[in-house]
Amino acid sequence: MTVPPPPASPASLPPAPSSPPSPSAPSSPSGPAVPPEDGPAWVVPALRRAGCVFAEDEARVLLASARDPAELTTVVARRAAGLPLEHVVGWAEFCGLRVAVDPGVFVPRRRTEFLARQARALTPPDAVVVDLCCGSGAVAAVLAERRPALLHAADLDPAAVRCARRTLSPLGGEVHEGDLYDPLPAALAGRVDILVANGPYVPTGDVPLLPPEARDHERRMALDGGADGLDVLRRVAAGAPHWLAPGGLLFVETGDHQAAAAQAAVRAAGLRPRVARDDDLHATVLIAARP
């Protein structure tokens, strides 16, 4: 059995060459980056030999991130050994933002930009926003552009929580460590206007078929969604009516082949779902309203 297109949650890394992580921003205040135009010619061939499909784009990022030739050798070797590019350089580009991504933390996928844009477009001024399974905080950072009255995020992975705090604290967001709704302040119940949950939705049997960058270097809890991939979604849906304000919206990313079952789970919780798709990104987003 192969992972059906699109593969659940993770996509092959690195991002598509049309929008790779921006190499223009300095990687470190402690020393100048190696200018890409002056970089050694060996970098691209080394990445190609390692099987990096977007070797030229990755080379630009690594050259811009390395402070000296010795560091360049180290980061190229780490990427060639199979570490995700984002874990090597410590950040990922997401909707034009640079988001901190530490080793082991789930890398925000290009397809999830569709989820973030859908939620951002429907986030009213002064909204109360909650991002569950927030990972690095990438989606919440995009929603922070709408200047919500309150912005909360939560994740079960302590490493992800540390990353999300670095990204969201300067934006006025609060990040909590715990399982789904458990760590949220009780005062948010019935007040949440926008609830986003980009939880794991890879069926357990498909996890071994994921790209090695995800399978070997990201937490299993960020990938494995149970037998049919919808275990977390069902739990999110079941709790959503308690936390959403009347008319509040839930946004969940899922696989296109899971959309019908996901809608059924949301309807069973008393919400009204619809599905949005982006064929270019192979993205499917379930949007559900509390009546």
Side-chain angles (χ1 to χ4, degrees):
M1 178 179 179
T2 58
V3 180
S9 189
S12 296
L13 298 177
S18 59
S19 55
S22 170
S24 58
S27 62
S28 172
S30 61
V34 178
E37 60 272 19
D38 297 333
W42 61 269
V43 175
V44 171
L47 294 174
R48 284 178 178 159
R49 286 194 299 271
C52 298
V53 177
F54 306 111
E56 291 82 0
D57 295 303
E58 294 196 22
R60 294 189 194 101
V61 174
L62 295 172
L63 286 163
S65 300
R67 291 167 294 184
D68 53 50
E71 184 172 357
L72 178 62
T73 300
T74 298
V75 295
V76 172
R78 294 180 69 209
R79 177 62 185 129
L83 270 71
L85 176 67
E86 293 82 356
H87 288 170
V88 173
V89 298
W91 55 271
E93 183 185 354
F94 187 82
C95 288
L97 304 176
R98 182 175 288 198
V99 179
V101 182
D102 288 342
V105 173
F106 182 83
V107 175
R109 273 37 172 188
R110 194 65 59 199
R111 68 161 54 88
T112 304
E113 291 184 349
F114 181 62
L115 170 72
R117 290 195 299 268
Q118 291 288 309
R120 179 174 59 187
L122 295 173
T123 298
D126 299 321
V128 176
V129 175
V130 170
D131 182 8
L132 299 180
C133 307
C134 70
S136 62
V139 174
V142 173
L143 299 186
E145 297 175 354
R146 300 292 294 163
R147 301 186 181 279
L150 292 172
L151 176 62
H152 289 262
D155 201 283
L156 190 58
D157 179 9
V161 169
R162 289 192 294 270
C163 280
R165 284 175 176 157
R166 295 209 306 273
T167 296
L168 298 178
S169 292
L171 303 176
E174 293 188 39
V175 183
H176 312 275
E177 182 180 333
D179 184 28
L180 297 182
Y181 302 103
D182 289 351
L184 296 180
L188 292 177
R191 298 178 56 201
V192 178
D193 300 299
I194 301 294
L195 175 61
V196 179
N198 186 28
Y201 59 90
V202 182
T204 300
D206 290 345
V207 171
L209 306 177
L210 293 174
E213 287 96 335
R215 184 182 67 234
D216 298 338
H217 298 287
E218 295 178 337
R219 303 281 193 269
R220 178 115 183 182
M221 71 174 71
L223 303 172
D224 191 340
D228 65 353
L230 298 178
D231 284 0
V232 175
L233 182 147
R234 292 188 185 94
R235 294 176 59 213
V236 169
H242 175 72
W243 294 91
L244 285 172
L249 297 174
L250 167 66
F251 297 80
V252 182
E253 182 177 292
T254 189
D256 189 59
H257 65 291
Q258 299 164 315
Q263 289 184 80
V266 166
R267 287 194 189 97
L271 304 179
R272 297 175 179 171
R274 64 181 177 88
V275 174
R277 293 179 172 88
D278 185 306
D279 292 336
D280 292 334
L281 292 174
H282 303 292
T284 301
V285 172
L286 183 68
I287 304 170
R290 177 187 168 188

